[in-house]
């Protein structure tokens, strides 16, 4: 950019073509235009990053505006303020002289103010015989009036960018929390899987967050964390499904091993009630215990059940089982249906099943009938809580990210 010097009898001040262009533009202000000076100031503050202004420069601009007596900057009125450096320093929170001059230069270069130099380089005002302001030398606020629409547009743009950054950061926080909770639950509960490798990847990605400043950089981190969350969920789901497959295979082998005994018993006469009772008892004896899942996973999949725990939270299986009793009664599940579930699933997993039913309450017409159906399927080795829990984990995670 070309530069030169304007020479006066009292000194030389550097000037650039950009400054000259800015002065020409501020000279063409729509007739009668008026704008609230503090509204313009707020726009400048909001757009400070785009304009290249720092906080000290904004303090100096605030001080300059305070010397303008009117609330509105109006075309045709004298828009020049002429405070001394001492006065400016006082109103700018005691800023040092060197820093004051530096930030005045920043405001000039950013096109927020123009200098209007007097013949002797000092700032002062000249009044007519009636005492009205005739001319003044100091800093012109005309650029703020001339650029008011542009500054408002830049402020809106900056606000939109800040909102975008906020949304991305919130989504990153949700992903970080979800991954951390799953890893912690899996490790503490002893679930099989290469959780150490996933955690190392997680720590590496998270370490990049503090260095990212732009929406593009943060979006890249969010994409990587989202894929890592999906990988973590898949790893846990695969582990749960493999456990279910192994359990079903063991159940099948036990049925085959006991098939001869059962076929002999079938020739014995019995009532329909006896048949049902002994058949259920036989199946329970043949089946392996229902696979248990980590408490952390259950609470992550079914957050609504926490409000029925002590002080609105659940920290142990005992507290979950106690909350499940309350939920059972609230949903109208009969004591016998819940007892059958406890006998078949085990008290912990029966409580987890009630938490799942509560979470899906809007999609289930009869909670008692649904629980009885789950119990019958579990007796036949056809049901595991794993897929239901993972489905709820995914649904809740998706809802949180969309809300973010």
């Amino acid at each position: 950019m070309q530069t030169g010097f304007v020479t006066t009898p009292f000194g030389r001040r550097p000037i650039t073509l950009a400054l000259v262009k800015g002065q020409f533009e501020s000279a063409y202000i729509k007739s009668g235009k008026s704008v609230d000076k503090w509204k313009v100031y707020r726009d400048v503050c909001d757009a400070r990053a785009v304009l290249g202004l720092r906080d000290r420069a904004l303090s100096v601009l605030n001080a300059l505006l305070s010397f303008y007596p009117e609330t509105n900057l109006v075309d045709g009125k004298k828009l020049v303020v002429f405070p001394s450096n001492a006065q400016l320093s006082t109103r700018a929170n005691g800023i040092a002289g060197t820093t004051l001059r530096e930030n005045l230069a920043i405001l000039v270069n950013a096109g927020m103010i123009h200098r209007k130099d007097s013949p002797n380089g000092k700032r002062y005002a000249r009044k007519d015989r009636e005492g009205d302001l005739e001319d003044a030398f100091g800093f012109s606020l005309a650029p703020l009036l001339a650029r008011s629409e542009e500054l408002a547009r830049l402020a809106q743009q900056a606000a939109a960018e800040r909102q975008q950054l906020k949304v991305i950061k919130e989504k990153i926080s949700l992903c970080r929390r979800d991954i951390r909770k799953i890893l912690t639950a899996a490790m503490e509960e002893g679930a099989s899987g290469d959780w150490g490798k996933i955690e190392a990847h997680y720590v590496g990605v998270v370490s990049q967050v503090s260095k990212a400043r732009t929406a593009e950089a943060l979006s890249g981190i969010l994409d990587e964390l989202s894929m890592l969350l999906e990988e973590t969920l898949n790893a846990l789901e695969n582990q749960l499904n493999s456990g279910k497959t192994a359990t079903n295979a063991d159940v099948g082998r036990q049925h085959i091993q006991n098939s001869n005994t059962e076929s002999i018993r079938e020739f014995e006469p019995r009532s329909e009630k006896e048949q049902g009772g002994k058949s259920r008892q036989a199946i329970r004896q043949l089946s392996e215990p229902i696979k248990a899942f980590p408490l952390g996973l259950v609470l992550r999949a079914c957050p609504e059940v926490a409000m029925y725990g002590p002080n609105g939270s659940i920290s142990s299986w005992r507290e979950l089982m106690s909350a499940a009793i309350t939920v059972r009664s609230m949903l109208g599940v009969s004591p016998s249906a819940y007892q059958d579930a406890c006998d078949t699933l085990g008290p912990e997993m029966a409580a987890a099943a009630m938490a799942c039913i509560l979470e899906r309450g809007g999609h289930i017409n009869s909670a008692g009938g649904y629980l009885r159906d789950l119990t019958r399927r579990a007796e036949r080795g056809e049901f595991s809580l794993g897929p239901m829990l993972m489905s709820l984990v995914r649904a809740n995670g998706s809802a949180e990210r969309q809300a973010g």
Side-chain angles (χ1 to χ4, degrees):
M1 183 177 293
Q2 299 182 23
T3 63
F5 287 90
V6 173
T7 304
T8 72
F10 297 92
R12 290 150 54 91
R13 187 180 302 281
I15 190 169
T16 66
L17 293 181
L19 293 179
V20 174
K21 180 175 180 290
Q23 293 200 11
F24 283 148
E25 289 176 347
S26 64
Y28 295 98
I29 301 176
K30 183 179 179 181
S31 179
K33 183 178 181 180
S34 174
V35 65
D36 187 323
K37 64 181 181 180
W38 299 120
K39 167 63 169 61
V40 178
Y41 175 72
R42 288 192 295 271
D43 289 341
V44 173
C45 290
D46 289 341
R48 61 183 177 274
V50 180
L51 297 169
L53 299 177
R54 52 196 186 192
D55 291 343
R56 285 293 183 87
L58 295 175
S59 295
V60 173
L61 181 60
N62 181 286
L64 286 170
L65 287 169
S66 72
F67 284 100
Y68 185 75
E70 306 292 336
T71 300
N72 286 359
L73 302 175
V74 182
D75 174 51
K77 291 193 176 182
K78 304 297 183 182
L79 297 175
V80 177
V81 292
F82 42 89
S84 66
N85 281 355
Q87 291 173 316
L88 264 180
S89 176
T90 299
R91 293 202 186 181
N93 303 319
I95 191 172
T98 303
T99 307
L100 174 64
R101 289 189 291 272
E102 179 184 351
N103 285 283
L104 284 169
I106 290 174
L107 290 171
V108 171
N109 290 331
M112 298 296 100
I113 59 174
H114 289 158
R115 295 182 189 270
K116 184 179 180 182
D117 289 337
S118 66
N120 62 5
K122 293 184 178 181
R123 301 171 206 148
Y124 63 89
R126 186 168 52 237
K127 297 183 179 180
D128 57 21
R129 292 181 180 181
E130 285 75 24
D132 296 328
L133 188 65
E134 186 177 64
D135 204 356
F137 302 93
F139 297 103
S140 172
L141 303 176
L144 295 176
L145 178 59
R147 300 179 62 185
S148 60
E149 293 88 356
E150 175 196 354
L151 294 173
R153 186 173 62 255
L154 290 175
Q156 292 175 355
Q157 177 184 336
E161 291 174 354
R162 284 194 300 272
Q163 179 63 23
Q164 182 184 13
L165 284 175
K166 179 182 177 182
V167 170
I168 295 174
K169 287 179 179 178
E170 287 177 350
K171 290 182 178 180
I172 287 176
S173 296
L174 287 173
C175 274
R176 289 177 61 176
R177 186 194 65 184
D178 290 348
I179 295 171
R180 183 72 271 171
K181 281 186 176 181
I182 294 174
L183 289 175
T184 300
M187 290 177 175
E188 289 182 353
E189 302 286 345
S192 61
D194 196 355
W195 307 114
K197 179 180 178 181
I198 295 177
E199 184 175 34
H201 187 184
Y202 166 77
V203 172
V205 177
V206 169
S207 66
Q208 304 172 26
V209 175
S210 60
K211 304 173 186 176
R213 293 290 183 270
T214 64
E216 183 179 1
L218 287 170
S219 294
I221 294 174
L222 175 60
D223 290 341
E224 191 165 358
L225 282 174
S226 297
M227 288 188 290
L228 183 58
L229 175 59
E230 189 70 19
E231 177 185 340
T232 306
L233 288 171
N234 287 337
L236 185 57
E237 186 173 12
N238 290 336
Q239 188 268 330
L240 296 177
N241 288 337
S242 65
K244 176 186 175 184
T245 302
T247 300
N248 289 343
D250 290 341
V251 171
R253 284 193 295 272
Q254 291 183 19
H255 275 293
I256 294 172
Q257 292 170 1
N258 292 276
S259 60
N260 292 334
T261 304
E262 286 299 300
S263 63
I264 293 174
R265 291 179 180 177
E266 288 298 327
F267 288 103
E268 298 176 3
R270 66 186 73 178
S271 67
E272 182 178 349
K273 181 175 180 180
E274 288 175 338
Q275 289 179 7
K278 291 185 179 181
S279 175
R280 172 174 290 179
Q281 183 179 7
I283 292 176
R284 287 176 186 165
Q285 292 173 349
L286 292 171
S287 300
E288 287 288 322
I290 298 297
K291 182 176 178 60
F293 300 99
L295 176 63
L297 176 62
V298 175
L299 295 178
R300 173 176 151 70
C302 311
E304 288 189 19
V305 76
M307 70 177 66
Y308 298 95
N311 301 318
S313 64
I314 291 175
S315 58
S316 66
W317 280 111
R318 181 180 297 276
E319 291 180 354
L320 177 63
M321 289 187 286
S322 177
I325 298 297
T326 303
V327 171
R328 174 201 68 72
S329 177
M330 182 189 71
L331 295 180
V333 177
S334 66
S336 61
Y338 188 63
Q339 185 59 52
D340 285 344
C342 289
D343 292 343
T344 301
L345 301 172
E348 291 87 355
M349 291 303 99
M354 284 306 310
C356 290
I357 292 173
L358 173 66
E359 197 71 24
R360 299 184 59 188
H363 305 283
I364 297 174
N365 294 327
S366 171
Y370 190 80
L371 182 63
R372 287 189 183 279
D373 180 62
L374 295 185
T375 302
R376 286 193 294 268
R377 289 165 55 196
E379 287 174 345
R380 297 193 298 267
E382 299 174 354
F383 170 74
S384 169
L385 275 175
M388 182 184 291
L389 290 171
M390 295 310 302
S391 175
L392 290 172
V393 166
R394 292 179 187 277
N396 289 333
S398 176
E400 288 175 349
R401 284 191 288 273
Q402 290 177 3

